């Protein structure tokens, strides 16, 4: 069978270059990656055999084998798992299908310092290629379980790889690394040393549930004995979640997390749960320390694996936690499920439902604990995952109170430190009944919004909500601790009612003075607004736009439209600042002049300015520019 040569896909080539020239200090992780792939391959074969009894595959002694040859300077990681077909090898190893990898390369380029760039290696699970950190040539011999012919893949990592079919390949995959020349200065990094291999396996892969064996060279003295050397099992294979807390070190937990979570950093928190009784299960969950880059994409892979009595059943098990906790990684091992259980069955199972509720509460109570015990770690958690957790305020009414308790928000009280709702309530001033917030694109946009003026003036704290989900949960939740959540851009805000300086009389007088102007302006702007009224929110700006309490905000309207949903355009309210010179001038002009052509333009401009001030767009930008230019010209 001829050997064919293929080119790596562009991204794959870039990634290989990175690996070959890597200065990543912890090169040991390549072995963890290869063992992890081998372990997955064994899991897959066992499942496939379970589902298809007719599959012509040997599952009697599934294991991983490591073979080091010090003279040839090769290291081989072998498994008798699922293997790959000829086409699969080309697809899986020659290209990078994972969209995350493109992002990885992008971030890698952007990372300024080498350490930051190298750190990204583990985060994206660039598994197999990491072999090229230590080898200048890699060969793979593999045969897909059930097929008769195998495939040999080889590459020096420099742009091309070769493929050929082979007749005598054993079931599964063996990856052979032709190691780079040994560094005489640094014996510590000799990956053919049995001692070194044992150390790495113990450290990174002890929990792997398949035996990892190594055939050690017999000691020199025993050379003349004709006994074949016995393979030695390097890992304990103990499922960490089935062991008691005292038996397991934090480091061991962390390594399991890295294996499951495809992360190179330690988790933020480890959560254990053992349930006994009619439906027994053990859970070992982790809160990561960093949000993955694709947390808000549709095809985000969740990180909770399902096991049944130590047997791996599935990755990405969505039935175990609600979507807003999709960032949680870990293992759930249930005793009383069938090994054949499917995703559909899990979704409908009452016991699973109960387990999911319990796990959810456990995760939330852990966050709550973090909040009281360790402010810094809580702050990290909220910064990374708060946006996801807030989805739960809308979707999980059962845990809404808990989520509200652990949530924190940017606020005008402090430039950088977020506040909890409880802290906000404690700071509320006498006579303040509501919790005020404003939603918008960014902190800066919100702070500069005219709606904030009166609040700033009177020193009333306002929560600054900038996540798209904020638009939704505030309406769904409605109140906290008996205090209504109120948008400063919605409804009538009458802060003066509590102000002793401004009497009701004065207010009434103003309303009377402006009544005609307000009515006339409403007619002029009829297509766009439903009311013109005097404002008590403004101190500096002449006008602003507000919504009725029950209306969608402009941002929410845009969000729905972006999702392709039809929403009626809600007419909004124009509020004028009666103390502003411009508004006073308009009133006077209205009273004095017969011809109102100019005045109508002014009304239109004022409305457009208010729209601009809250980050919106005038309905007809070209007309707005023209009117504005004419006005400026006249001031010259
Ligand atoms: P990842 O493991 O993150 O998917 P890798 O580059 O390590 O990325 O591997 C790419 C794919 O190649 C794997 O998803 C798997 O399908 C296949 N593969 C790698 N190693 C093996 C193996 N030992 N046996 C079977 N398939 C493998």
């Amino acid at each position: 069978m001829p050997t064919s040569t293929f080119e790596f896909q562009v991204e794959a080539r870039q990634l290989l270059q990175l690996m070959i020239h890597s200065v990543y200090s912890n090169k040991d992780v390549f072995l963890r990656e290869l063992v992890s792939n081998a372990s997955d391959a064994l899991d897959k074969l066992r499942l496939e055999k379970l589902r298809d009894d007719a599959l012509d595959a040997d599952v009697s002694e599934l294991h991983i084998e490591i073979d080091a040859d010090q003279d040839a300077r090769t290291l081989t990681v072998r498994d008798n798992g699922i293997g790959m077909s000829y086409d699969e090898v080309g697809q899986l190893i020659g290209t990078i299908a994972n969209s995350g990898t493109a992002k990885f390369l992008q971030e890698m380029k952007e990372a300024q310092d080498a350490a930051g760039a190298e750190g990204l290696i583990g985060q994206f699970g660039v598994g197999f290629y990491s072999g090229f950190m230590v080898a200048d040539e890699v060969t793979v011999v593999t045969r897909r379980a059930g097929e008769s012919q195998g495939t040999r893949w080889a590459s020096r990592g420099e742009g091309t790889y070769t493929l050929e079919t082979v007749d005598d390949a054993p079931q599964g995959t063996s990856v052979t690394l032709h190691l780079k020349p040994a560094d005489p200065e640094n014996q510590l990094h000799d990956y053919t040393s049995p001692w070194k291999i044992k150390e790495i396996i113990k450290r990174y892969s002890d929990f792997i549930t398949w035996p990892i064996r190594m055939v050690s060279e017999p000691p020199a003295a025993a050379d003349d004995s004709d006994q074949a050397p016995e393979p030695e099992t390097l890992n304990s294979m103990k499922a960490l979640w089935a062991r008691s807390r005292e038996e397991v070190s934090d480091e061991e937990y962390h390594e399991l997390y890295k294996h499951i979570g495809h992360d190179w950093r330690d988790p933020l928190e480890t959560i254990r749960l053992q349930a006994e009784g009619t439906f027994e299960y053990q859970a070992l969950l982790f809160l990561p320390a960093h949000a993955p880059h694709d947390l808000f994409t549709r095809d985000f892979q969740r990180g909770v694996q399902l096991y049944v009595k130590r047997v791996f059943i599935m990755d990405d098990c969505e039935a175990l936690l609600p979507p807003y906790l999709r960032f949680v990684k870990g293992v759930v091992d249930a005793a009383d499920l069938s090994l054949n259980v499917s995703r559909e069955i899990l979704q409908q199972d009452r016991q699973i439902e109960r387990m999911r509720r319990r796990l959810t509460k456990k995760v939330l109570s852990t966050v709550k604990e973090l909040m009281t015990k360790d402010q810094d770690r809580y702050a990290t958690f909220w910064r990374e995952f708060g946006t996801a957790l807030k989805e739960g305020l809308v979707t999980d009414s059962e845990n809404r109170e808990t989520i509200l308790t652990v949530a924190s928000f940017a606020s005008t009280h402090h430039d950088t430190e977020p506040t909890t709702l409880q802290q906000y309530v404690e700071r509320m001033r006498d006579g303040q009944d509501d919790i005020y917030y404003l939603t918008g694109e960014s902190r800066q946009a919100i702070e500069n919004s005219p709606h904030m003026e009166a609040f700033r003036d009177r020193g009333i704290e306002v929560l600054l909500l900038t996540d798209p989900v904020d638009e939704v949960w505030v309406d769904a939740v409605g109140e906290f601790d008996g205090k209504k959540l109120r948008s400063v851009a919605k409804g009538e805000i009458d802060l003066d009612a509590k102000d002793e300086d401004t009497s009701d009389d004065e207010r009434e007088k103003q309303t009377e003075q402006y009544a005609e102007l307000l009515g006339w302006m409403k007619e002029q702007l009829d297509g766009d607004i439903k009311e013109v009224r005097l404002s008590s929110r403004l101190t500096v700006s002449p006008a602003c736009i507000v919504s009725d309490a029950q209306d969608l905000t402009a941002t929410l309207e845009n969000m729905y439209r972006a999702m392709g949903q039809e929403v009626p355009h809600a007419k909004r309210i124009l509020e004028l600042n009666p103390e502003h010179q411009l508004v006073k001038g308009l009133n006077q002009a209205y009273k004095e002049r017969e011809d109102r052509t100019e005045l109508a333009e002014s009304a239109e401009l004022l409305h457009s300015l208010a729209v601009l001030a809250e980050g919106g767009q005038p309905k007809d930008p070209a007309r707005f520019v023209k009117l504005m230019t004419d006005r400026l010209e006249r001031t010259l």
Side-chain angles (χ1 to χ4, degrees), residues 294-586:
D294 54 354
L295 185 58
F296 293 97
T297 61
R298 198 190 300 237
D299 45 4
F300 178 73
Q301 278 254 334
R302 291 156 218 239
V304 181
Q305 301 180 333
L306 179 67
Y307 281 67
V308 172
K309 293 196 246 358
R310 318 281 174 274
V311 175
F312 171 82
I313 304 294
M314 67 179 77
D315 267 324
D316 185 20
C317 188
E318 67 274 11
L320 301 177
L321 281 174
Y324 70 91
L325 296 179
R326 60 190 174 278
F327 54 84
V328 175
K329 311 277 181 194
V331 172
V332 173
D333 191 337
D336 306 311
L337 287 175
S338 146
L339 290 179
N340 265 322
V341 71
S342 69
R343 288 182 191 274
E344 292 68 35
I345 291 177
L346 286 173
Q347 294 289 11
Q348 293 155 16
D349 190 298
R350 296 277 298 275
Q351 303 276 20
I352 296 287
E353 166 63 19
R354 208 170 298 163
M355 169 153 89
R356 166 166 140 137
R357 287 170 64 184
R358 175 116 189 252
L359 292 174
T360 304
K361 289 209 187 314
K362 180 75 182 173
V363 170
L364 293 176
S365 67
T366 305
V367 175
K368 203 167 163 180
E369 238 178 79
L370 214 54
M371 195 172 185
T372 48
K373 273 190 348 213
D374 191 335
Q375 271 297 315
D376 283 353
R377 280 198 302 155
Y378 161 74
T380 304
F381 173 83
W382 191 260
R383 188 187 65 228
E384 299 293 320
F385 301 110
T387 311
L389 219 67
K390 282 188 283 189
E391 295 168 15
L393 290 172
V394 185
T395 56
D396 185 359
S397 49
E398 190 180 329
N399 292 300
R400 182 174 283 168
E401 285 309 312
T402 317
I403 304 174
L404 279 178
T405 319
V406 301
S408 49
F409 307 95
S411 132
T412 52
H413 178 67
H414 198 284
D415 283 347
T416 51
E417 290 199 358
T419 177
T420 64
L421 291 177
Q422 191 55 48
Q423 289 164 338
Y424 180 104
V425 168
E426 280 158 22
R427 279 191 298 266
M428 273 169 62
R429 308 149 113 237
D430 284 349
Q432 183 184 344
D433 300 326
D434 302 328
I435 297 172
Y436 292 108
Y437 70 86
L438 184 55
T439 57
E441 296 263 308
S442 66
R443 178 172 183 130
Q444 203 195 4
I446 300 179
E447 282 190 318
N448 291 334
S449 155
H451 303 110
M452 297 287 289
E453 287 172 8
F455 291 84
R456 191 179 308 121
D457 219 41
R458 291 165 175 76
I460 298 174
E461 182 173 354
V462 177
L463 301 177
L464 309 169
L465 308 181
T466 53
D467 287 325
V469 64
D470 291 328
E471 303 277 351
V472 188
W473 76 257
V474 284
D475 285 337
V477 169
E479 60 171 55
F480 172 79
D481 194 19
K483 318 273 185 297
K484 278 209 179 60
L485 287 155
R486 285 197 65 186
S487 165
V488 305
K490 278 186 170 184
E492 296 251 25
I493 298 264
D494 199 358
L495 300 172
D496 285 339
K498 276 129 208 158
D499 224 327
E500 278 151 29
D501 317 347
T502 326
S503 66
D504 285 353
D505 285 2
E506 203 168 317
R507 187 100 197 139
E508 241 163 64
K509 232 164 71 196
Q510 261 180 347
T511 312
E512 221 165 90
Q513 277 170 358
Y514 278 99
E516 281 182 48
L517 175 74
L518 298 183
W520 176 80
M521 272 182 79
K522 161 139 172 34
E523 270 168 44
Q524 298 302 309
L525 302 168
D526 202 29
D528 304 309
I529 55 161
K530 59 180 169 194
E531 189 186 344
V532 183
R533 67 185 181 211
L534 295 184
S535 182
S536 51
R537 334 174 188 241
L538 300 174
T539 59
V540 184
S541 304
C544 71
I545 307 275
V546 301
S547 305
D548 263 338
Q550 68 279 6
D551 283 346
L552 293 182
T553 62
T555 325
L556 203 54
E557 243 184 70
N558 290 338
M559 268 164 57
Y560 280 126
R561 291 215 180 85
M563 290 187 295
Q565 282 195 33
E566 275 300 320
V567 277
H569 181 71
K571 280 195 194 175
R572 303 172 68 208
I573 299 159
L574 180 67
E575 285 194 354
L576 303 184
N577 176 1
E579 305 296 338
H580 198 282
Q581 282 311 320
L582 179 55
V583 177
K584 285 184 178 165
L586 274 182

Side-chain angles (χ1 to χ4, degrees), residues 45-64:
L45 176 60
R46 182 173 45 195
L47 272 182
E48 201 160 309
K49 181 74 180 174
L50 212 58
R51 301 210 165 115
D52 174 13
D53 202 32
L55 181 71
D56 180 18
D58 180 8
V59 293
S60 60
E61 218 194 319
L62 299 178
H63 69 283
I64 299 164

Side-chain angles (χ1 to χ4, degrees), residues 98-109 120 124 293-294:
N98 186 350
S99 68
T101 312
K103 171 99 180 169
F104 162 75
L105 287 166
Q106 186 60 29
E107 286 194 19
M108 197 86 172
K109 277 184 203 137
L120 290 166
F124 287 83
H293 59 88
D294 54 354

